[in-house]
Amino acid sequence: PIILLHPRRFLRRWYNGDSIDKMKSRRESEMQRNKDLFRINVGFLLNQPVGTFREFDIQTQELDIDDDFHLDNFVGTVRLNRVQQGILVNMKCAGDTALDCVRCLTPFIGRLSTEFDELFALPNLRQNADAENFLPENGNIDLFPLVDEYMTMEIPIKPICSEDCKGLCQECGANLNIESCEHHHPVLEE
């Protein structure tokens, strides 16, 4: 007789007894913990005089920006400045991500870094009527959407593994960084 395993039972055995739902739940809670790093309570700065600032460091080994974008070794420095309009956030951050070279199609790890300033305006000031970000009533600002936006903009359109990458042979497809072939190869310029 032929015995067919139910796919869920097979996967349950395959993953040491953890169900798929349990694994998804564990992954989602890990992603949520990473996102919680970017929620900062700035209520303590609201009653401080203009010019007061605080700096915080944010570090995590893994950061999932979204399903297709993952950063390793993420480091960031946040500077919160009390200004007349509200809280000015200055953030510098960097992380490693997997990229594919457009010349030789080899995967490599690239370092992305960015710096940005964003104002979280006080909602009750007339001069802040056209501001993009407002301070929530609870005083907690979420920097994750800003990190998502600015780090995504740093992904190169044409990633190159190294400046001297020779690319692929147009005739036979050989990776010219690893091997040579008998075809004529023009010098790549960009």
Side-chain angles (χ1 to χ4, degrees), residues 8-165:
R8 273 221 187 277
R9 288 185 190 141
F10 173 74
L11 289 173
R12 199 169 287 133
R13 287 187 196 131
W14 180 262
Y15 291 110
N16 298 325
D18 285 349
S19 68
I20 299 293
D21 296 332
K22 192 174 185 180
M23 289 174 42
K24 284 182 183 177
S25 174
R26 193 177 309 140
R27 176 88 172 133
E28 288 171 2
S29 67
E30 183 180 316
M31 286 176 59
Q32 187 60 41
R33 273 195 304 267
N34 283 340
K35 290 181 181 179
D36 287 343
L37 292 171
F38 299 95
R39 289 195 180 101
I40 301 174
N41 187 331
V42 296
F44 66 94
L45 274 177
L46 295 177
N47 295 325
Q48 298 296 318
V50 171
T52 304
F53 70 92
R54 295 288 184 272
E55 285 191 3
F56 302 96
D57 291 328
I58 298 175
Q59 295 181 350
T60 183
Q61 289 297 315
E62 296 180 344
L63 179 63
D64 288 321
I65 301 294
D66 58 33
D67 292 339
D68 299 333
F69 186 27
H70 177 82
L71 292 171
D72 292 319
N73 305 317
F74 180 88
V75 293
T77 301
V78 180
R79 182 181 171 116
L80 304 171
N81 297 296
R82 176 66 171 99
V83 294
Q84 187 175 1
Q85 296 85 8
I87 303 292
L88 180 64
V89 176
N90 172 267
M91 184 164 187
K92 298 175 187 176
C93 54
D96 299 328
T97 191
L99 300 168
D100 293 321
C101 180
V102 295
R103 289 184 185 169
C104 65
L105 306 179
T106 304
F108 70 99
I109 301 298
R111 186 81 171 159
L112 304 179
S113 61
T114 189
E115 180 177 356
F116 60 86
D117 294 316
E118 289 286 337
L119 175 68
F120 283 82
L122 294 169
N124 54 359
L125 295 177
R126 232 188 334 206
Q127 65 199 33
N128 292 343
D130 59 345
E132 291 181 27
N133 301 310
F134 288 98
L135 280 169
E137 288 182 19
N138 64 6
N140 292 313
I141 60 173
D142 187 4
L143 299 178
F144 186 79
L146 296 172
V147 170
D148 177 358
E149 179 181 341
Y150 283 97
M151 289 301 277
T152 301
M153 287 191 301
E154 292 300 320
I155 298 173
I157 294 172
K158 293 183 178 182
I160 299 173
C161 60
S162 69
E163 290 298 320
D164 58 342
C165 177

Side-chain angles (χ1 to χ4, degrees), residues 168-185:
L168 300 175
C169 174
Q170 295 177 1
E171 300 292 323
C172 66
N175 186 341
L176 300 175
N177 297 314
I178 299 171
E179 58 186 298
S180 60
C181 64
E182 66 276 355
H183 302 106
H184 174 70
H185 302 104

